[in-house]
Amino acid sequence: MKLFFTVNGERRDLELDTRTTLLDALREHLHLTGSKKGCDHGQCGACTVMVGGRRINACLTLAVMHQGDEITTIEGLGSPDKLHPMQAAFVKHDGYQCGYCTPGQICSSVAVLEEIKAGIPSHVTADLNARPGLTADEIRERMSGNICRCGAYSNIVDAITEVAEQQA
Amino acid sequence: MKFDTPATTNPIDQLKVVGQPVDRIDGRLKTTGQAPYAYEHNDAVRDHAYGYVVGAAIAKGRITGMDLRAARAAPGVLAVVTAENAGALGKGRMNTARLLAGPEVDHYHQAVAVVVAETFEQARDAAQMVQVSYAGAEGAFDLAAARDLAEKVDQSASATGDFEGAFATAPVQLDATYTTPDQSHAMMEPHASIAAWDGDRLVVWTSNQMIEWGAGDLARTLNMPREKVRLISPFIGGGFGGKLFLRTDAVMAALGSRAARRPVKVALQRPLMINNTTHRPATIQRIRIGTGRDGRIVAIGHESWSGDQPGGGPETAVDQTRLLYTGANRLTQLRLAVLDLPEGNAMRAPGEAPGLMALEIAMDEMAEKLGMDPVEFRVINDTQVDPNDTSRPFSRRQLVECLRTGAEQFGWSRRSARPGQAREGSWLLGMGVAAAFRNNLVMTSGARVRLDGRGEVTVETDMTDIGTGSYTIIAQTAAEMMGVTIDKVTVRLGDSSFPASAGSGGQWGANSSTAGVYAACVKLRNAVARKLGFNSADAVFEDGQVRAGNRSVTLAEAAGGEGMVAEDAIEFGELSKRFQQSTFGAHFVEVGVDAATGEVRIRRMLAVCAAGRILNPKTARSQVIGAMTMGVGGALMEELAVDTRRGFFVNHDLAAYEVPVHADIPHQEVIFLDEVDPMSSPMKAKGVGELGLCGVAAAIANAIYNATGVRVRDYPITLDKHLDRLPELA
């Protein structure tokens, strides 16, 4: 069926099988392959993109559910010549190895800082009435839906912390 | 270039670029989603179709019939390939089980068909319509049950002195059995390939650690000439040994493409990966250590049982025990049972990773029996020579320095020798240590280096970067050798049309592949000097220029409009036989164990490594912290659950096969000791990517014991294994 949504600020018109996931629409139809397919089942987080400013697993949602939505992918955050601060921090802190989970980690990282800023609590927030802090524990908890089998977690937390401190 | 005498001073020793913590040169591509992985070469192929793999629903038996009518009639379907219509297939040299079943089925989720359709959704839908009937056969799936049937294998077997006699009379003895479970690589990028035929020539964009092996085995499997197969694998989303070999995605894409007369993409579905591909086999390990009252080892024996498919091999879990500690009387022995589980094969640090999971708990137990500090017990049993052949020294061995440095940096003196003593609220606290050991392997590795009229350098080799940092360290090597800055170097990897390299495996890649680039650069330097009429021994390559005496020429001028190119390979001689080349480390871990629930949390981790010259401290550190993370998985959560009745791994996706996530991992510290090893290569480097995993799980196990006083010898250490024996809550 026909639909459109906005990807990285650009309106995209598509005609898609109703079974096509948002992830496959991005990767296979728009050739925006920065969003990765690690499991296709919402288990790994490699496909994380932002829809309406909130992060979601693009493999767990059908493209046809996003008529008119505003979608941001890793390609929309920055480019090799003009890195987003989070992308630059990942390079500086070596917050990746094979790079396959990296776009998902970075999209999640950007969204996590917004969630903390917005006062949204997490499992490790001790006081639900207080604003959650920008602590390593908060970051680790909120990033735990993004698996990195290369095990760059310690460096990723350093990268996110640096960006958070720059923003503060 | 033959490497058969110890390295002397060479241009790498300048360390202007090599040895510096350079950011990855592919970092901007990876962080912006612009690095193309196997399934993403949309610019290279047009009009491709999609393949979807159907896996066998039994572990052993025969396919008695396949009804493909519904699948073939489904919308968009272009072809259904099975063993019946695939034509005669060979088997890759590195494969134990075939990559397409039929009529015999060798293991669960072995591919039985690939369905090719216009779209992914159509292929997936039609794949569900493939009707397969089977006649199941009895199989062996339980290592513990097959243990007594396991046969001795010669590999890794050794006997020195009189082990049995010396052990029996040793004043202090330990005889303990440990188990490690089947584990999965679980790399983030699924095995994936795009295949395209041009007449009788085949190009496959794939995700493979060893391009030369992969291309050869694909040709062998398809019964076609090797030179007509090209593999391209510039970016690999993790491997850990799981992508060392040709897998079914490449074969199914090639067969599907031939049948559909279109390029075809295949990615193994995540739920198929664990049973379809290889895994690290489970082990049962018996360790016996006998010492004098002074703590010196007089007898050390390590036996290990594992299983594999018929024709497969053992998990070489006893290897490190041949070399790690002193002792005049020694025994190592592997036994292999035939199992009909999926194929067992190499996973990061094969042998040493599970071997040290057991040995380094045994060392902790022995230290306790002796009333010795576990660091001191290891220190007094150090050896600087191969204990099986004392005429053979280690090239460099700084295990003691690793242990001492780590103990000091970690605050080891604060550890209570008696377990169960340290508390913080409801947390039982403990510290653990383990030695890390992994042999340094070397492999022939080739490269081609081009110098162009702009003074820029391009390196081509079929070496792969699986996250290890190959792009970056190869660029650093070429920059150092040619006297240019790293931004003047372009590195092209992972294409079988480039010179064959060591590839990525066994932690041999960094040292061997950069040594191959070194060799090609030496040849290019000599050619440049010759062309300029310089004595090549006097020529200095620096700041984009070549200088000799008071003459100086820019590299751009030297190369001229046509440029210059040199190709060579490093070939290793007898030095690795005359000297035992190994890498060493020490892991220190602090854990907290919840006194009420038994939950384990890692609080601090430190690794100290001595592994030759560190080519890039930033990427090398990442290798080590990543390995430490995998070690946390091995200690606390990773286990493929075997259905011993139906013969498969039950938890075959990333929800059920648990690996560490952010919340499991604290800040990690890594210290590299200053070391160069002139016996290993002109780079004087050794491997480090697997060393980082070796011993981690045992250090965690020992820390848990130190916290709780409950010794668990069966991995992973899940809370059910010690909950009923935890100290009473005060």
Side-chain angles (χ1 to χ4, degrees):
Chain A
M1 66 184 276
K2 286 191 175 173
L3 74 152
F4 80 91
F5 40 61
T6 304
V7 184
N8 303 328
E10 190 183 335
R11 180 184 158 123
R12 307 300 295 255
D13 288 87
L14 288 159
E15 186 160 1
L16 292 176
D17 191 315
T18 51
R19 300 168 293 186
T20 302
T21 61
L22 176 59
L23 178 61
D24 282 330
L26 294 168
R27 283 171 61 81
E28 302 303 321
H29 295 268
L30 299 176
H31 290 182
L32 290 168
T33 53
S35 306
K36 302 303 181 193
K37 186 184 280 192
C39 68
D40 218 12
H41 290 71
Q43 300 167 345
C44 76
C47 65
T48 304
V49 300
M50 282 175 271
V51 176
R54 300 281 297 269
R55 57 182 168 146
I56 63 166
N57 287 336
C59 75
L60 281 189
T61 187
L62 296 170
V64 294
M65 297 158 68
H66 294 282
Q67 169 75 16
D69 279 353
E70 302 259 349
I71 295 155
T72 304
T73 69
I74 189 72
E75 291 91 345
L77 287 181
S79 62
D81 297 331
K82 201 178 173 203
L83 298 179
H84 181 280
M86 191 65 79
Q87 292 168 324
F90 269 63
V91 173
K92 177 181 166 190
H93 291 277
D94 214 39
Y96 54 82
Q97 291 196 49
C98 80
Y100 200 76
C101 74
T102 310
Q105 300 277 357
I106 291 173
C107 285
S108 256
S109 302
V110 171
V112 158
L113 294 186
E114 292 300 317
E115 287 160 25
I116 293 175
K117 219 179 277 175
I120 299 170
S122 82
H123 176 68
V124 299
T125 310
D127 179 358
L128 295 184
N129 293 314
R131 295 191 71 77
L134 269 166
T135 63
D137 278 351
E138 282 283 1
I139 291 169
R140 289 188 187 117
E141 171 62 25
R142 292 164 193 266
M143 291 297 296
S144 284
N146 290 85
I147 296 175
C148 171
R149 184 58 161 162
C150 296
Y153 298 131
S154 186
N155 289 350
I156 293 172
V157 172
D158 288 349
I160 299 172
T161 303
E162 181 177 287
V163 174
E165 285 167 357
Q166 285 165 359
Q167 288 180 356
Chain B
M1 177 184 288
K2 278 247 186 277
F3 181 72
D4 46 18
T5 54
T8 53
T9 302
N10 69 46
I12 296 297
D13 295 320
Q14 301 172 95
L15 299 181
K16 289 179 186 165
V17 196
V18 170
Q20 301 302 316
V22 176
D23 288 346
R24 283 171 206 261
I25 62 169
D26 49 339
R28 286 171 176 262
L29 293 180
K30 283 180 172 174
T31 54
T32 56
Q34 304 298 319
Y37 294 82
Y39 203 73
E40 301 167 357
H41 293 273
N42 292 314
D43 297 339
V45 290
R46 302 233 174 272
D47 194 31
H48 63 262
Y50 292 81
Y52 201 89
V53 177
V54 181
I58 62 166
K60 191 178 180 183
R62 282 174 69 83
I63 297 169
T64 54
M66 296 182 86
D67 184 346
L68 307 176
R69 286 171 297 181
R72 284 194 167 124
V77 171
L78 302 167
V80 181
V81 180
T82 70
E84 285 240 304
N85 62 14
L89 295 179
K91 195 175 81 170
R93 269 195 205 142
M94 309 302 290
N95 297 122
T96 306
R98 298 164 306 145
L99 299 176
L100 178 61
E104 302 297 327
V105 173
D106 305 307
H107 63 85
Y108 190 79
H109 274 178
Q110 191 174 25
V112 298
V114 62
V115 176
V116 180
E118 292 283 352
T119 72
F120 173 72
E121 293 78 16
Q122 290 168 336
R124 182 179 59 190
D125 188 37
Q128 319 306 316
M129 299 176 197
V130 172
Q131 298 291 320
V132 188
S133 42
Y134 301 96
E138 290 289 310
F141 307 115
D142 185 348
L143 176 62
R147 178 178 175 173
D148 293 340
L149 301 173
E151 297 198 3
K152 286 185 177 180
V153 289
D154 292 340
Q155 191 181 347
S156 304
S158 67
T160 301
D162 170 21
F163 169 74
E164 297 290 347
F167 178 72
T169 56
V172 185
Q173 299 171 359
L174 172 82
D175 181 349
T177 297
Y178 307 84
T179 64
T180 64
D182 298 285
Q183 295 180 334
S184 180
H185 312 86
M187 73 296 278
M188 299 313 297
E189 181 205 21
H191 302 261
S193 294
I194 306 175
W197 291 88
D198 178 6
D200 62 352
R201 292 184 168 272
L202 174 64
V203 182
V204 180
W205 291 263
T206 190
S207 187
N208 190 298
Q209 299 172 226
M210 301 290 296
I211 297 304
E212 181 68 14
W213 292 358
D217 272 355
L218 182 55
R220 230 164 260 126
T221 302
L222 297 175
N223 291 313
M224 61 186 284
R226 161 69 185 84
E227 61 274 15
K228 297 203 169 174
V229 174
R230 183 173 171 203
L231 248 52
I232 302 174
S233 189
F235 289 95
I236 295 152
F240 313 112
K243 293 172 181 168
L244 283 170
F245 316 119
L246 177 73
R247 297 305 316 167
T248 202
D249 54 295
V251 178
M252 293 303 109
L255 293 174
S257 174
R258 188 154 67 189
R261 300 177 182 282
R262 295 257 294 273
V264 167
K265 276 185 177 187
V266 174
L268 272 187
Q269 306 90 271
R270 178 63 65 175
L272 215 62
M273 282 173 63
I274 281 177
N275 285 286
N276 177 277
T277 69
T278 61
H279 64 280
R280 188 202 299 283
T283 64
I284 301 168
Q285 301 180 46
R286 182 189 186 195
I287 295 177
R288 285 176 286 173
I289 303 173
T291 69
R293 300 251 173 243
D294 59 358
R296 290 183 199 281
I297 294 173
V298 294
I300 184 162
H302 193 162
E303 297 156 272
S304 176
W305 290 255
S306 63
D308 200 3
Q309 285 265 320
E315 179 69 25
T316 54
V318 302
D319 275 0
Q320 71 289 321
T321 309
R322 298 172 60 162
L323 294 164
L324 188 47
Y325 298 114
T326 190
N329 304 287
R330 322 178 65 85
L331 169 78
T332 58
Q333 182 68 57
L334 296 174
R335 289 182 182 78
L336 178 63
V338 173
L339 291 181
D340 300 295
L341 289 170
E343 176 177 331
N345 219 315
M347 177 168 150
R348 198 175 198 170
E352 279 103 331
L356 284 161
M357 288 169 85
L359 178 65
E360 289 298 289
I361 296 184
M363 290 296 285
D364 201 62
E365 296 199 58
M366 202 64 203
E368 189 182 31
K369 276 178 187 273
L370 288 157
M372 287 184 76
D373 181 88
V375 170
E376 290 307 314
F377 177 51
R378 289 175 173 89
V379 167
I380 66 163
N381 285 295
D382 185 49
T383 174
Q384 292 292 316
V385 295
D386 176 347
N388 307 289
D389 175 2
T390 53
S391 69
R392 219 172 139 253
F394 283 90
S395 57
R396 289 301 308 275
R397 174 172 166 128
Q398 297 198 77
L399 174 61
V400 170
E401 292 79 359
C402 289
L403 287 161
R404 294 263 190 243
T405 304
E408 189 184 322
Q409 295 295 318
F410 200 68
W412 182 251
S413 60
R414 296 200 298 273
R415 170 183 175 269
S416 161
R418 268 186 63 208
Q421 300 302 303
R423 291 243 178 165
E424 185 186 287
S426 65
W427 294 96
L428 306 164
L429 303 187
M431 287 191 218
V433 66
F437 173 94
R438 171 74 173 146
N439 276 332
N440 180 58
L441 307 175
V442 288
M443 296 268 278
T444 301
S445 196
R448 184 158 56 222
V449 184
R450 201 182 307 277
L451 178 64
D452 68 23
R454 293 168 303 168
E456 299 194 357
V457 178
T458 301
V459 184
E460 291 175 334
T461 163
D462 85 356
M463 182 57 192
T464 50
D465 190 329
I466 61 174
T468 37
S470 310
Y471 276 108
T472 309
I473 58 173
I474 284 173
Q476 289 174 270
T477 302
E480 194 81 75
M481 289 300 292
M482 300 312 298
V484 298
T485 50
I486 196 167
D487 58 311
K488 301 288 186 212
V489 181
T490 301
V491 179
R492 301 175 68 202
L493 300 182
D495 187 326
S496 64
S497 66
F498 300 155
S501 74
S504 300
Q507 78 168 13
W508 62 61
N511 179 47
S512 301
S513 73
T514 54
V517 173
Y518 170 92
C521 287
V522 167
K523 207 176 209 181
L524 182 57
R525 285 166 60 112
N526 290 341
V528 169
R530 219 171 21 247
K531 184 174 174 184
L532 298 174
F534 290 178
N535 182 342
S536 65
D538 302 336
V540 176
F541 288 71
E542 202 170 48
D543 303 329
Q545 299 185 334
V546 201
R547 280 200 305 276
N550 46 20
R551 276 185 67 200
S552 168
V553 180
T554 66
L555 282 179
E557 288 173 65
E562 289 183 3
M564 296 178 71
V565 64
E567 182 177 333
D568 201 0
I570 192 89
E571 293 172 74
F572 295 91
E574 299 287 303
L575 283 174
S576 59
K577 297 200 176 91
R578 281 170 44 209
F579 296 87
Q580 176 58 42
Q581 296 184 17
S582 306
T583 60
F584 297 89
H587 289 286
F588 290 81
V589 174
E590 182 179 271
V591 300
V593 180
D594 188 300
T597 68
E599 178 190 6
V600 178
R601 304 288 300 162
I602 310 286
R603 294 163 71 106
R604 293 193 296 135
M605 298 185 88
L606 167 67
V608 184
C609 301
R613 172 174 282 153
I614 298 302
L615 300 173
N616 181 330
K618 185 175 276 197
T619 54
R621 180 181 171 278
S622 290
Q623 280 281 286
V624 176
I625 68 167
M628 290 157 79
T629 300
M630 193 173 270
V632 172
L636 299 181
M637 61 194 84
E638 291 186 39
E639 175 177 25
L640 291 169
V642 181
D643 183 327
T644 55
R645 197 172 45 96
R646 302 275 297 163
F648 71 106
F649 299 126
V650 179
N651 47 341
H652 52 76
D653 61 26
L654 288 173
Y657 183 78
E658 294 184 357
V659 299
V661 299
H662 276 276
D664 297 314
I665 302 299
H667 181 74
Q668 295 162 318
E669 296 286 350
V670 181
I671 297 170
F672 292 112
L673 297 187
D674 270 338
E675 184 173 301
V676 287
D677 192 335
M679 307 301 173
S680 71
S681 83
M683 303 301 294
K684 303 170 190 171
K686 292 190 281 199
V688 74
E690 299 191 332
L691 177 68
L693 175 60
C694 295
V696 178
I700 295 168
N702 295 338
I704 293 170
Y705 174 76
N706 185 241
T708 63
V710 182
R711 182 66 76 178
V712 179
R713 300 186 182 86
D714 302 297
Y715 289 100
I717 305 174
T718 45
L719 53 86
D720 53 296
K721 291 177 184 165
H722 61 196
L723 182 61
D724 60 344
R725 293 179 285 159
L726 292 180
E728 287 298 317
L729 282 167

